[in-house]
Amino acid sequence: MIITILGSGTSIPQKDRSAPSYLVRSEEGAIMVDLGPGAVWNLVRNSTTGIADVGIVLITHLHLDHVADLAPFLFAMKAEEIGRSSPLTVIGPEGFIDYYASLRKLYGRWVEGAGYELEIKEWSGEFIEWGEFRIGAGRSMHSLPNLAYLLQESGPGVMFTGDGEPTPEMLQLGKGATDILISECSLPPGITEEGHMNPEQAGRLAEQIQTVTLVLSHLNPGCKAEEILKEAMAYFGGEIQVAEDGMVLTA
Ligand SMILES: [Zn+2]
Ligand SMILES: [Zn+2]
C-alpha cells in the first residue's frame, strides 16, 4: 500500500504543514484517515486519487483539525462532475453519529449521499475487512475519544495514532502488526502535556510495538525536525522520518 501524507501539521496554521490527513492507496481502492481543513483540496492537488475514488474515510476524533473537511468532502460529492456512484463508508469514534446528525441538521441534503450509498458509523470494536484491507482500531488517551487505526493488506501494515497518548489497547493493536507507525508528535523534546506526545513518547511507542519505521507527524510549529529526530532516536532503534506534506511511503 502507498501512503501519502496530505497534512503533517496541527490546528495551528503553518506555511508548510496542513492540518492532519492521510491517503492510503492500493489496487483495492483508497482510504483516507482524517479530513483536517484543506484535506479535500490537498488530496486533489497531491495525488491522482479523486474524491470519488475514496471508499472509506476513518476519522480519529472530532477535533476540528481532524474532521473539519468532512462536510466539504460530502458537499463536493454532490457535483455531477465528480460522478460518484460507488459506496462510501465513513467511520469515527464514539459521538460520530451525533456529529453527522448535526451536520445534516445544518446542511440537509447537501451532506447526504445521492447517487451513491453513504454509510456513517461509529467503530464497533471489531476488525473490518474491505477487499484485501483489514482495518482495526484502538483507543488512545486524549481530551476527546480518539481512535488509532491499523490498516493491513497482507502482513504488517501501517498504524495512525491520531492524537493522544498510548493505551494498553493501542499497544496490543499495534504490537508486531506494523511496518510503519505514523505517530503524533505535537510536542517538542522535554515538554509533556496530557493527551499529546513528544518525540520521546513517540519513540517509546515505536519501540514497544516493534515497528520498522516511525514517522513523526502532527507537528506543531515548535517541533524542529532535527531536534525531534535526535530525541526520538534515543528511544527507538529503527528508521525514523519526520513527516512532510506530500511525502509518500510504501508499506
Ligand atoms: Zn490534532
Ligand atoms: Zn485532538
Side-chain angles (χ1 to χ4, degrees):
M1 63 180 100
I2 297 166
I3 301 139
T4 306
I5 297 179
L6 299 174
S8 59
T10 62
S11 62
I12 303 170
Q14 300 174 63
K15 272 195 175 144
D16 52 354
R17 295 195 189 280
S18 296
S21 187
Y22 306 92
L23 170 68
V24 181
R25 276 175 303 161
S26 79
E27 283 174 14
E28 293 296 322
I31 296 176
M32 288 185 83
V33 179
D34 280 338
L35 287 171
V40 175
W41 273 255
N42 285 336
L43 170 73
V44 174
R45 284 185 186 137
N46 287 289
S47 77
T48 54
T49 304
I51 61 169
D53 302 322
V54 177
I56 297 189
V57 174
L58 303 168
I59 299 292
T60 61
H61 67 298
L62 298 178
H63 276 146
L64 283 165
D65 55 328
H66 298 257
V67 74
D69 249 19
L70 177 60
F73 182 70
L74 297 173
F75 181 49
M77 232 81 81
K78 305 301 276 190
E80 258 178 48
E81 292 87 335
I82 298 295
R84 173 143 212 146
S85 58
S86 57
L88 170 65
T89 303
V90 188
I91 300 170
E94 183 190 331
F96 186 60
I97 302 270
D98 280 349
Y99 178 82
Y100 178 69
S102 304
L103 289 182
R104 258 182 94 179
K105 210 168 157 191
L106 273 171
Y107 302 118
R109 69 187 178 91
W110 302 111
V111 293
E112 290 170 5
Y116 70 97
E117 192 187 318
L118 174 63
E119 187 184 18
I120 302 283
K121 57 185 196 182
E122 293 178 8
W123 181 253
S124 67
E126 304 290 323
F127 268 85
I128 55 171
E129 315 268 340
W130 186 61
E132 295 291 309
F133 277 108
R134 194 168 168 263
I135 303 168
R139 278 168 293 220
S140 76
M141 275 192 297
H142 192 49
S143 49
L144 281 180
N146 177 88
L147 293 171
Y149 288 104
L150 171 69
L151 277 66
Q152 293 176 309
E153 224 178 358
S154 50
V158 56
M159 185 158 99
F160 300 87
T161 67
D163 287 6
E165 297 171 76
T167 61
E169 190 177 294
M170 240 174 96
L171 295 175
Q172 198 190 353
L173 176 76
K175 189 141 193 169
T178 69
D179 276 337
I180 300 177
L181 168 66
I182 300 188
S183 177
E184 83 126 303
C185 180
S186 309
L187 307 164
I191 305 293
T192 54
E193 192 185 299
E194 208 176 277
H196 281 294
M197 282 193 265
N198 60 30
E200 174 186 335
Q201 291 166 294
R204 285 185 191 277
L205 170 61
E207 192 65 41
Q208 280 175 296
I209 66 165
Q210 309 209 302
T211 194
V212 178
T213 301
L214 165 65
V215 180
L216 300 169
S217 193
H218 198 270
L219 305 169
N220 271 318
C223 292
K224 304 281 175 263
E226 273 175 36
E227 291 173 14
I228 60 172
L229 191 63
K230 194 174 158 211
E231 179 80 355
M233 279 168 68
Y235 300 93
F236 176 57
E239 186 196 1
I240 308 178
Q241 296 196 39
V242 176
E244 283 173 20
D245 287 18
M247 182 184 265
V248 178
L249 303 146
T250 308

